[in-house]
Amino acid sequence: MKLRKNWWLFPALMLALGACRKKEEAAKAPVVPAAVEAPAVAPTPTPAPEAKMLALSPEERAAKLGFVQYLPQETEVVMAFHNGSKSAKRIKTSNLWKLIQGEMGIAPDMEEAGESPNAEPPVGPAALFGEEFTIALGKSLGEQTGNLLTLYRRMGYFQMRSLAAALAEAAKSGDAAVLEGALANPYGTDLIKDLVADPEAGIGLFEKMKMPPMYLAFRTSPDGREAAAQQLAGLTENLGMFGDRVEPVEVEKVGQPFIGHRVSGAKISESLAGDRSGMEAMLEPEMVDRLLAAIAKKDLVVLSGTLGDYAVLFIGSSADDLKFAPGIGESLVATEALAFCDAHVSKDLAAVVYGHKDSIAQMMDATGGLSDMAGGLRDGLAGSEGFGDTRDLEALLRMVVERESSLLQLASTESTGTAVFFEDGLKIESYGGTDNGAVDWKADNRLASLGAGGNVVMFANMTGEAAYDEKMRAYFEALMETAYAMAMKLSELPMKDGEMVRMMGMAGTFNEKFRPDAVALWDALSGDFSAGLGGENALIVDLNGSVPAIPGLPQAVVDEAKFPRITWVAPVTDRAKLASAWQSMNSSASNILARIGEMNGQQIPMQKPISSEKNDYTTWFFPLPFFNDDFVPSVTVGDQWFAASTSKNQALDLLAKAAEGGEARSGLWFVMNFQPLRVFVNETLDLLAKHQEAIPLDGVDQQKIRDLSAAVEDMDKLTVHSRREGGVLRTSMHFKTR
């Protein structure tokens, strides 16, 4: 079975921003098409040409990107949000927002309804976000985030080590309360002691930690700049809660004053030293010395001021970390780091995001996976007395760590950039980032044409990378084998707790009666079945099916209503291996059913599938009275293609289309069509309303469904295309609205 891990960052809020009732006025023609979009009703989308990087001058970028022109080139992350008031208006005028308001009992205000065109612009804190809001993080962000992630990982290690020790103690004493206590208090003093003394996450790590430079900048109008500056200055006054540990600070940067406060680490350390005896109750004296010395060096500075059109709030570990570029030519906009914006700066921008490669790599390296928790379990079990011989389990946990590391080594990281803008809805163009290695970007997807056709509501297509599939399968098997071995160990414990007794019984039954056939079933799926299919996959969902003739349904519903159809398609590379896999799976499933029958005191014979032949394809399915050709879970196989489907008709149609070939595309594709789904919902409700006696549906529920359908009326489709262009990872998302 193909096991893949596909993910991408997709801000849900940005989707909502695109759902507006009316299309925006047509913008000037873009230099290149910047997003991917599918033709009319549920067709396969057409890929966008490679975005041409226009050689804009730093001044041209600065004019559009705003506050970024002041940031030094060492800046590691930028998140700039533009046109906040316009984005908010788009949300408020969308049908979906109006539905949410109604559900929450909030009456729409007159401005949102368009009845107050001369309304005053927002004031107070809301005004700060109305035009442009930028969050930027300077040098050391990646390192410091990595430090926090390392601390989190090591905390997981010690928690699992403590849990394993508690399990061993509970096994030795036969008292489940020991385990319950460990689960109820996972952050006790022992954990703190372990973390402080840990070579990876202890005092040494804390000594390296500091607040990375963070800038929050708000574009202001000339007449509102002073009020905005006062609002930010007021935020710094909140540091007064630290009492005499706070000192006033005033500095000048690029000719502008910045005023605020500094929380003195030295004074906090001095205060903590007054309770040294309490600290030494947990830590060794030399550790207390190092901890107090480290705290003494950790100041927190909060400053505010104005720069150009912006009110700026700065948070960092030192006033020296507040840095601005002396000119546009020395700023971030003058580097190639923001070249990805050049093709999009003429658009109606909603957001721009940038992340430096080294910063992202440091974060990804520190994130890890399950290895620390697996290591904690392994070390907690080592030498324990309550579990008996745990060497096999320890070896399995080491294997989990090794295979996870091998899988993560397939990932690669690049600098990342994302431009979000309004054009025929909402478009998100991203460049770079992290590639986990799951997709074969060079492969030609021969199933790309299967997304075309009426009433297709969802289409997904990609070719998996063989090396990733192999390593992911090995990692998954190691996890499952380790979990099984742990369950067997737990089932042997002498604890008398009711839940534990039940678990022990279930584990014993599975091990005795079902394990051999369950393992054989998995081996068939991950072995011959996987080897018999190619790496490409396509998933197609349409609404062209017919309703199964289930007893009790009105004949008119069976005859007239539509029903979803779902088909998964893959190429066949070795039909003989597929046949072998089926023989193994059928034998294992028959044995499992026989065991269940023995336990229930009745025989449950394995159903025998029947087959049908058409156009050199064989379809296998189990017969039931209400099945029909458009609703019959089945598999269809030929020499070239394989399909698993809820509909025999859909499978045959799709495989015929696959055999015809068509335009091949690379990368990962995903399309979601909202309009066919909305029409389907409304037509189904209309039909059910005619047969209320046979199919009762509460009127309130019907209205809620219709309201939700109306709320998505202005949503057209979502298209996603990930690929590599010129060696750069690229993802284009288009949330098209009507």
Side-chain angles (χ1 to χ4, degrees):
M1 179 175 289
K2 302 295 179 183
L3 296 170
R4 302 189 176 92
K5 182 179 178 184
N6 300 309
W7 61 271
W8 54 82
L9 182 62
F10 192 80
L13 176 59
M14 290 295 97
L15 287 181
L17 296 179
C20 53
R21 177 180 292 275
K22 298 180 180 179
K23 293 182 179 179
E24 297 294 309
E25 294 182 2
K28 293 181 180 179
V31 177
V32 293
V36 184
E37 173 183 335
V41 180
T44 303
T46 301
E50 181 176 347
K52 180 181 178 182
M53 296 302 176
L54 308 181
L56 296 184
S57 68
E59 290 75 17
E60 289 173 315
R61 287 182 187 160
K64 188 67 177 182
L65 299 182
F67 183 74
V68 183
Q69 65 186 287
Y70 298 112
L71 293 173
Q73 296 182 1
E74 65 184 25
T75 304
E76 295 188 7
V77 168
V78 176
M79 294 176 286
F81 303 92
H82 296 258
N83 302 310
S85 295
K86 291 175 64 176
S87 298
K89 185 177 180 180
R90 291 171 187 267
I91 294 176
K92 292 178 180 180
T93 56
S94 69
N95 290 336
L96 183 59
W97 177 255
K98 293 175 181 177
L99 175 64
I100 294 173
Q101 281 185 309
E103 290 296 318
M104 296 177 63
I106 302 174
D109 59 41
M110 301 301 290
E111 182 183 352
E112 293 171 14
E115 298 181 23
S116 183
N118 298 319
E120 293 294 326
V123 295
L128 293 175
F129 301 91
E131 192 169 350
E132 178 193 332
F133 167 54
T134 299
I135 303 174
L137 295 120
K139 190 174 180 61
S140 83
L141 171 69
E143 177 187 356
Q144 296 306 323
T145 304
N147 289 337
L148 289 174
L149 291 171
T150 298
L151 179 63
Y152 175 77
R153 287 193 297 103
R154 297 304 293 168
M155 187 180 297
Y157 166 86
F158 287 115
Q159 285 177 328
M160 298 309 292
R161 194 182 73 171
S162 175
L163 178 61
L167 277 170
E169 179 61 28
K172 183 178 180 180
S173 64
D175 184 5
V178 176
L179 177 59
E180 294 172 358
L183 292 172
N185 185 27
Y187 302 103
T189 56
D190 289 342
L191 176 65
I192 297 175
K193 291 180 181 179
D194 289 334
L195 281 173
V196 171
D198 183 44
E200 290 187 55
I203 293 293
L205 182 69
F206 182 70
E207 289 171 337
K208 295 187 292 184
M209 286 183 173
K210 67 175 186 177
M211 176 68 194
M214 182 169 71
Y215 305 76
L216 291 89
F218 306 84
R219 182 186 283 271
T220 61
S221 61
D223 57 347
R225 192 160 302 138
E226 181 63 28
Q230 290 178 3
Q231 289 182 52
L232 296 185
L235 294 176
T236 69
E237 299 300 326
N238 293 330
L239 295 179
M241 69 179 69
F242 291 96
D244 59 2
R245 304 180 186 90
V246 177
E247 304 169 350
V249 177
E250 182 173 353
V251 297
E252 184 176 300
K253 300 289 182 176
V254 291
Q256 294 295 116
F258 283 81
I259 302 173
H261 297 85
R262 176 171 68 93
V263 180
S264 171
K267 291 184 177 180
I268 292 178
S269 178
E270 181 181 347
S271 175
L272 291 174
D275 186 29
R276 184 182 179 96
S277 59
M279 299 178 70
E280 289 185 350
M282 296 178 57
L283 306 174
E284 296 297 325
E286 55 270 27
M287 285 291 187
V288 174
D289 290 338
R290 288 184 63 184
L291 181 60
L292 291 174
I295 293 173
K297 297 177 181 178
K298 299 192 182 306
D299 295 341
L300 180 67
V301 174
V302 181
L303 304 169
S304 67
T306 61
L307 182 61
D309 295 335
Y310 298 88
V312 182
L313 182 69
F314 170 80
I315 305 173
S317 58
S318 169
D320 294 336
D321 291 339
L322 174 58
K323 299 177 182 179
F324 296 107
I328 290 178
E330 294 78 36
S331 73
L332 190 61
V333 297
T335 69
E336 286 303 304
L338 297 182
F340 71 90
C341 291
D342 291 355
H344 313 296
V345 292
S346 63
K347 308 295 184 182
D348 187 6
L349 280 179
V352 172
V353 178
Y354 160 74
H356 191 275
K357 174 182 178 179
D358 293 343
S359 182
I360 299 172
Q362 287 175 309
M363 297 179 198
M364 295 303 299
D365 290 343
T367 299
L370 297 177
S371 59
D372 282 272
M373 290 188 288
L377 281 174
R378 179 196 64 222
D379 294 346
L381 292 173
S384 64
E385 299 178 3
F387 271 111
D389 189 350
T390 61
R391 287 176 295 179
D392 290 346
L393 188 54
E394 293 169 38
L396 286 171
L397 288 165
R398 281 194 295 271
M399 183 170 63
V400 169
V401 174
E402 292 167 358
R403 291 187 178 181
E404 180 183 83
S405 176
S406 178
L407 179 66
L408 293 176
Q409 286 176 7
L410 296 177
S412 61
T413 300
E414 311 161 13
S415 292
T416 183
T418 301
V420 183
F421 52 94
F422 295 103
E423 183 180 78
D424 196 19
L426 185 80
K427 293 182 178 179
I428 303 175
E429 292 289 337
S430 71
Y431 301 76
T434 298
D435 178 2
N436 66 354
V439 180
D440 183 351
W441 303 111
K442 297 179 181 179
D444 289 330
N445 295 339
R446 295 179 293 160
L447 300 174
S449 62
L450 300 191
N455 284 346
V456 172
V457 295
M458 190 177 79
F459 171 71
N461 181 212
M462 62 167 279
T463 298
E465 182 62 59
Y468 183 91
D469 285 342
E470 180 180 354
K471 291 181 182 295
M472 173 57 83
R473 183 164 55 248
Y475 177 49
F476 181 78
E477 289 175 349
L479 287 174
M480 296 306 297
E481 190 171 353
T482 303
Y484 170 77
M486 179 66 76
M488 290 298 101
K489 275 292 181 185
L490 291 175
S491 70
E492 298 170 359
L493 299 183
M495 290 181 286
K496 304 301 182 182
D497 176 77
E499 288 297 326
M500 184 61 70
V501 170
R502 280 191 289 273
M503 190 197 80
M504 291 166 57
M506 293 172 60
T509 299
F510 175 82
N511 190 51
E512 178 183 351
K513 296 182 176 296
F514 298 106
R515 182 177 184 273
D517 289 307
V519 171
L521 187 61
W522 168 253
D523 287 342
L525 286 169
S526 61
D528 281 349
F529 182 78
S530 180
L533 298 177
E536 185 179 358
N537 295 266
L539 179 68
I540 306 95
V541 180
D542 72 16
L543 301 172
N544 293 329
S546 59
V547 176
I550 300 174
L553 283 180
Q555 188 64 45
V557 173
V558 174
D559 294 339
E560 301 175 27
K562 295 294 184 181
F563 204 76
R565 305 188 301 180
I566 305 172
T567 298
W568 175 69
V569 180
V572 172
T573 57
D574 191 328
R575 189 168 179 176
K577 287 187 176 180
L578 293 180
S580 174
W582 164 249
Q583 293 298 328
S584 298
M585 289 187 288
N586 183 61
S587 175
S588 297
S590 298
N591 291 339
I592 290 173
L593 286 175
R595 300 288 188 275
I596 295 174
E598 290 175 5
M599 295 172 63
N600 292 336
Q602 59 181 358
Q603 293 185 351
I604 308 177
M606 179 67 178
Q607 297 294 307
K608 294 184 178 181
I610 61 176
S611 64
S612 64
E613 303 280 343
K614 185 176 182 180
N615 298 333
D616 297 325
Y617 287 104
T618 302
T619 300
W620 296 89
F621 56 94
F622 294 105
L624 283 177
F626 54 84
F627 281 180
N628 59 61
D629 285 345
D630 245 354
F631 183 79
V632 52
S634 57
V635 295
T636 300
V637 62
D639 291 334
Q640 288 187 304
W641 303 103
F642 172 90
S645 180
T646 64
S647 166
K648 173 185 172 183
N649 286 346
Q650 185 190 32
L652 289 171
D653 290 343
L654 291 172
L655 295 187
K657 188 179 293 186
E660 292 173 0
E663 182 181 1
R665 301 189 181 100
S666 63
L668 182 151
W669 287 84
F670 176 83
V671 180
M672 182 75 182
N673 284 291
F674 297 102
Q675 289 308 305
L677 184 60
R678 187 181 66 83
V679 172
F680 167 78
V681 168
N682 289 338
E683 290 181 347
T684 301
L685 286 174
D686 290 341
L687 187 60
L688 295 180
K690 297 179 182 178
H691 305 279
Q692 292 184 5
E693 294 182 358
I695 309 177
L697 184 61
D698 184 82
V700 175
D701 292 336
Q702 287 192 48
Q703 190 57 49
K704 286 184 177 181
I705 297 173
R706 289 190 185 276
D707 290 343
L708 180 59
S709 175
V712 300
E713 183 178 1
D714 46 17
M715 300 180 186
D716 194 331
K717 69 186 68 173
L718 169 65
T719 305
V720 180
H721 179 207
S722 294
R723 72 276 188 196
R724 280 198 173 272
E725 291 180 356
V728 178
L729 182 63
R730 292 275 290 106
T731 296
S732 299
M733 304 183 191
H734 183 189
F735 187 62
K736 186 178 181 182
T737 58
R738 293 157 61 88

